[in-house]
Amino acid sequence: MHSLQFSVPLLPTSRFKRHSVRCASDRQQLFNRIAPVYDNLNDLLSLGQHRIWKRMAVSWSGAKTGDSLLDLCCGSGDLTFLMSEKAGADGKVIGLDFSKEQLSIASSRQYLLSKACYNNIEWVEGDALDLPFSNGYFDAITMGYGLRNVVDKRRAMQEMFRVLKPGSRVSILDFNKSMQPFTALFQGRNWRNWP
């Protein structure tokens, strides 16, 4: 593994922190490439059901007003925005991802949606295997469609529980490997050369 540094153009009202990112570079490049169509892929793979599942994941996290919340592998920010609505103006939500392109889209959405509660969101480029937060910092953590993409699932889980307050919850949403030919085609596809 090696360390990468990225800079992302910021929108006027966005807050965006950059940290050294250590990850499998091919996965990071993949998510940077598919960022513009990522939400469409989720629609296709879940037949649109991912919106309902994301609301359920946030509900199961136990997030509430005033909490400090983390959305790992936040992608374009769907779960992050839902967590922000739970935390309210007195809470704090961090959306962390290793893809600068995904974070750029999330930050743009925050700016365009311009909902008051979304001011509590901070976007952080970072590695789920080496979280830049202190022990016991978060009241709840969500991770949507990210665990299958980390290079070391055990380490990712250890990091989540390290930064989670005792007695708090992690809510993970993901797809299983499908045996259905249509879905398996997309899950097994080598996206390295796409688009």
Side-chain angles (χ1 to χ4, degrees), residues 20-191:
S20 177
V21 177
R22 290 179 16 239
C23 63
S25 62
D26 59 334
R27 290 182 191 205
Q28 188 175 39
Q29 290 169 7
L30 164 70
F31 280 92
N32 281 331
R33 276 197 314 272
I34 68 170
V37 296
Y38 179 76
D39 290 329
N40 294 334
L41 286 173
N42 279 339
D43 278 332
L44 180 65
L45 292 172
S46 74
L47 302 176
Q49 295 299 300
H50 70 99
R51 290 178 192 86
I52 296 167
W53 300 338
K54 287 174 180 173
R55 290 194 179 282
M56 291 169 63
V58 169
S59 176
W60 292 333
S61 76
K64 58 190 179 307
T65 303
D67 279 353
S68 292
L69 308 171
L70 174 63
D71 181 25
L72 277 178
C73 303
C74 68
S76 62
D78 284 353
L79 279 171
T80 315
F81 293 123
L82 293 172
M83 295 285 272
S84 172
E85 292 169 9
K86 286 282 189 184
D90 294 330
K92 174 152 179 81
V93 181
I94 295 177
L96 181 137
D97 204 285
F98 71 170
S99 168
K100 69 177 180 170
E101 297 301 326
Q102 291 279 20
L103 289 170
S104 181
I105 289 170
S107 181
S108 295
R109 289 178 68 199
Q110 179 184 18
Y111 179 72
L112 292 173
L113 294 171
S114 183
K115 210 170 180 181
C117 66
Y118 295 164
N119 291 331
N120 67 6
I121 298 174
E122 180 180 333
W123 306 105
V124 175
E125 184 179 345
D127 187 349
L129 305 181
D130 187 21
L131 297 175
F133 310 111
S134 59
N135 295 349
Y137 184 81
F138 294 102
D139 296 294
I141 298 173
T142 55
M143 181 186 234
Y145 312 112
L147 192 59
R148 65 186 163 166
N149 294 309
V150 297
V151 294
D152 185 343
K153 291 170 183 51
R154 182 184 182 124
R155 176 74 181 149
M157 294 298 293
Q158 288 172 337
E159 278 294 278
M160 281 185 247
F161 287 111
R162 179 185 66 77
V163 301
L164 191 65
K165 290 179 182 174
S168 297
R169 296 183 195 165
V170 172
S171 181
I172 298 175
L173 175 62
D174 221 320
F175 288 120
N176 286 331
K177 287 283 188 183
S178 177
M179 295 306 184
Q180 300 298 319
F182 179 74
T183 307
L185 172 71
F186 286 97
Q187 289 181 338
R189 181 173 174 161
N190 179 354
W191 294 99

